[in-house]
Amino acid sequence: MAGFETYPGLRAKMGEKDKELVYYMIKMRARDLVGKVVTAKEIEKNSNPVVDEMVQRSIRGNRSMGAIADYLSSAHNNGERFMGSFVIATFGGNPSWEPIALDSSSQLNVMLEKTGSLEDFGVLVLDGTQDYFVLDGQHRLTSLRYLFGQLPEMSDKKKPPQIPPGLQDDELSILLISGEGVKTEKDFRKRLRRIFTVINRHAKSTTPVENISMDEDDIAAVHTRRLLHTIPLFKWSGDPEDTPVVDTQKMQLRQADGHLTTIATIYDM
């Protein structure tokens, strides 16, 4: 099995019958992800025919080197570090799926057989010749590379933060999209473009007000919320007939609004 890669996980499908997209829910260590997965721009540079027509956003270095890298390098100070799932496409590698054999008399086997998901648990086997390409998570991938010292051209512009303990061994959630079942290379290329477009076109960043309401690392946001809970003037009874003094939904007041101020204004002050 030398050269083969194996990933325990779940196998799933989406789409119309006989046209399903096959994907796997697996995990990779951060160091393996950085070593295996590349961005669309890098693959295009190699003229890989699978993605040579891929439309990809430019990776913003200030985002990868800034907020994301800062979070990854300091989150452990608060006892937590988390990254959402990476969506990755793989082509080549002759993928095969090996369902996990269970004792036919076991209760778990009976339950899975009833739900029709007995073969959804198993091991994905790739022969080592595949290429990986990130569809969603390119800025997080670039941030990891930056922290691991693999982007010297970026490091020249800004001294990278120190690698936090355990980051290289973090187990990351991966949604791996396979090209199996797709009749032609052209069809797979078209499918990847559509998936990338859907993921990124409809992605919506949190608003400034939502950040103030939820951020646990921004000290100004934390204190803004504290003021709303401790200063009698800012408190709201919760009665629908009463108008809250502080509008917690908008950045600015409009004419005829019945509020004194907004949460954003208190935050700015």
Side-chain angles (χ1 to χ4, degrees):
M1 295 291 286
F4 280 74
E5 297 178 19
T6 58
Y7 299 102
L10 298 174
R11 184 176 187 266
K13 296 179 181 179
M14 285 190 189
E16 299 176 22
K17 184 175 176 57
D18 299 326
K19 296 181 181 179
E20 298 98 333
L21 178 147
V22 179
Y23 69 102
Y24 302 89
M25 290 162 272
I26 63 173
K27 69 177 182 179
M28 277 189 189
R29 294 187 186 277
R31 63 168 177 260
D32 295 329
L33 178 80
V34 168
K36 299 175 186 297
V37 183
V38 297
T39 64
K41 186 176 181 180
E42 291 169 305
I43 294 182
E44 288 171 348
K45 188 182 299 183
N46 296 329
S47 299
N48 190 304
V50 177
V51 290
D52 59 2
E53 296 176 14
M54 185 72 69
V55 178
Q56 177 70 295
R57 294 180 304 177
S58 297
I59 296 178
R60 297 197 295 267
N62 60 337
R63 183 180 174 191
S64 299
M65 295 165 53
I68 299 178
D70 289 342
Y71 166 75
L72 293 177
S73 64
S74 63
H76 66 283
N77 294 324
N78 299 316
E80 53 80 22
R81 179 171 58 236
F82 182 78
M83 283 182 277
S85 295
F86 289 78
V87 181
I88 292 172
T90 181
F91 23 89
N94 192 26
S96 64
W97 178 247
E98 303 296 334
I100 295 177
L102 298 174
D103 182 348
S104 59
S105 62
S106 71
Q107 185 177 0
L108 178 59
N109 186 87
V110 173
M111 292 170 58
L112 293 176
E113 194 169 21
K114 284 182 177 180
T115 59
S117 55
L118 188 59
E119 296 189 355
D120 294 339
F121 299 83
V123 178
L124 173 65
V125 182
L126 297 164
D127 65 13
T129 63
Q130 70 281 353
D131 291 315
Y132 295 102
F133 158 65
V134 61
L135 285 169
D136 186 48
Q138 59 182 347
H139 287 98
R140 281 168 282 153
L141 174 63
T142 305
S143 295
L144 289 170
R145 287 179 171 179
Y146 173 60
L147 290 173
F148 294 168
Q150 296 185 14
L151 296 177
E153 69 277 10
M154 286 188 174
S155 299
D156 290 342
K157 301 175 183 178
K158 178 182 177 183
K159 184 179 179 181
Q162 190 171 9
I163 300 177
L167 179 61
Q168 296 189 28
D169 292 319
D170 274 0
E171 296 177 335
L172 307 178
S173 170
I174 307 294
L175 299 181
L176 186 69
I177 298 173
S178 169
E180 60 189 279
V182 182
K183 293 181 179 179
T184 68
E185 185 179 278
K186 182 178 180 180
D187 290 337
F188 187 50
R189 182 170 63 234
K190 185 184 296 184
R191 174 170 285 186
L192 291 187
R193 287 203 308 271
R194 282 177 173 160
I195 293 170
F196 176 85
T197 302
V198 168
I199 289 173
N200 292 286
R201 175 183 293 171
H202 301 294
K204 185 177 180 181
S205 301
T206 54
T207 67
V209 169
E210 288 172 333
N211 292 336
I212 297 169
S213 300
M214 297 184 292
D215 200 320
E216 290 293 342
D217 297 313
D218 183 344
I219 192 64
V222 172
H223 281 294
T224 297
R225 297 195 300 270
R226 182 178 63 83
L227 291 175
L228 297 186
H229 286 92
T230 57
I231 295 181
L233 173 65
F234 293 157
K235 287 184 177 180
W236 179 46
S237 67
D239 187 338
E241 299 298 323
D242 294 338
T243 300
V245 174
V246 179
D247 187 329
T248 59
Q249 304 297 320
K250 300 192 294 289
M251 290 289 293
Q252 295 178 328
L253 295 179
R254 294 192 293 261
Q255 188 173 3
D257 273 348
H259 310 285
L260 173 65
T261 187
T262 69
I263 188 173
T265 300
I266 296 174
Y267 173 83
D268 288 339
M269 290 192 295

